Amino acid sequence: MNKKRAVLISVALYVMTFVVGVILAIAGRLNFSNPAEIPAYFWIISLVTTVAFTAIASFWYFSSEGSKRNVKEGLTLGIFFVVIGFVLDILFFLPSLFTGSNFEMLLRYYKEPMFYLTLILVIGTTTFIGSRNNPKLEKPIIKKSKKENSKNKLK
């Protein structure tokens, strides 16, 4: 595994999902002080965008020449995405440790079942994409027309 590449793509994924989350929160005029009161539609939109961005980030990672595309590599990449996300959350909310308000909000967010569903989907997405064969190595399937098949039978 190319750990440097995985970390850089993890940071890019975190930034993308964070920015989209903030934009959606502002557009929906949501209050995150109590994550239990976040509307279901926001969680659904968040899940869909997270899976989409995770898929894009996974394809980006596996597009590298030296990357191995298999289940183990996909699972490891997903774990990288989750761990780097936690580390960046801690670094981002570290200054609020002393004030307490934002840090308590983060802890409440971590207690939400939808948060853990998101983590499972991130790991599942990377594992699924890692398990797919590399399209560059796959041979295209060429279907023959009925006319060509009948010609081959006559020969």
Side-chain angles (χ1 to χ4, degrees):
M1 167 170 248
N2 185 340
K3 291 177 183 162
K4 181 179 177 183
R5 182 174 175 82
V7 169
L8 292 174
I9 292 174
S10 298
V11 171
L13 176 62
Y14 181 88
V15 170
M16 286 189 307
T17 56
F18 185 82
V19 168
V20 169
V22 168
I23 290 170
L24 290 173
I26 291 170
R29 297 183 181 147
L30 300 176
N31 181 3
F32 284 101
S33 61
N34 188 0
E37 295 177 5
I38 296 174
Y41 74 87
F42 180 81
W43 283 110
I44 292 168
I45 293 170
S46 178
L47 287 171
V48 169
T49 57
T50 299
V51 167
F53 284 148
T54 301
I56 291 167
S58 299
F59 284 123
W60 184 16
Y61 175 81
F62 288 118
S63 69
S64 162
E65 287 292 322
S67 66
K68 299 174 189 170
R69 198 164 179 177
N70 55 45
V71 172
K72 182 181 175 189
E73 192 82 2
L75 179 64
T76 306
L77 181 64
I79 292 169
F80 252 84
F81 285 173
V82 169
V83 169
I84 296 299
F86 275 121
V87 169
L88 292 173
D89 274 349
I90 290 169
L91 292 174
F92 187 73
F93 287 98
L94 191 63
S96 64
L97 269 174
F98 303 108
T99 61
S101 62
N102 286 339
F103 191 70
E104 288 175 22
M105 181 183 69
L106 180 66
L107 291 178
R108 284 193 301 266
Y109 185 74
Y110 281 167
K111 290 179 183 177
E112 280 299 308
M114 292 299 281
F115 171 73
Y116 292 99
L117 177 59
T118 304
L119 298 182
I120 290 167
L121 288 173
V122 165
I123 293 172
T125 301
T126 59
T127 303
F128 176 76
I129 291 173
S131 72
R132 304 291 95 197
N133 288 331
N134 190 338
K136 293 177 188 172
L137 301 177
E138 293 176 356
K139 294 180 181 178
I141 298 172
I142 300 171
K143 293 185 178 182
K144 294 182 179 180
S145 68
K146 289 182 181 180
K147 217 183 247 188
E148 289 175 329
N149 283 337
S150 63
K151 285 180 185 178
N152 289 338
K153 287 181 184 178
L154 295 175
K155 290 182 180 179

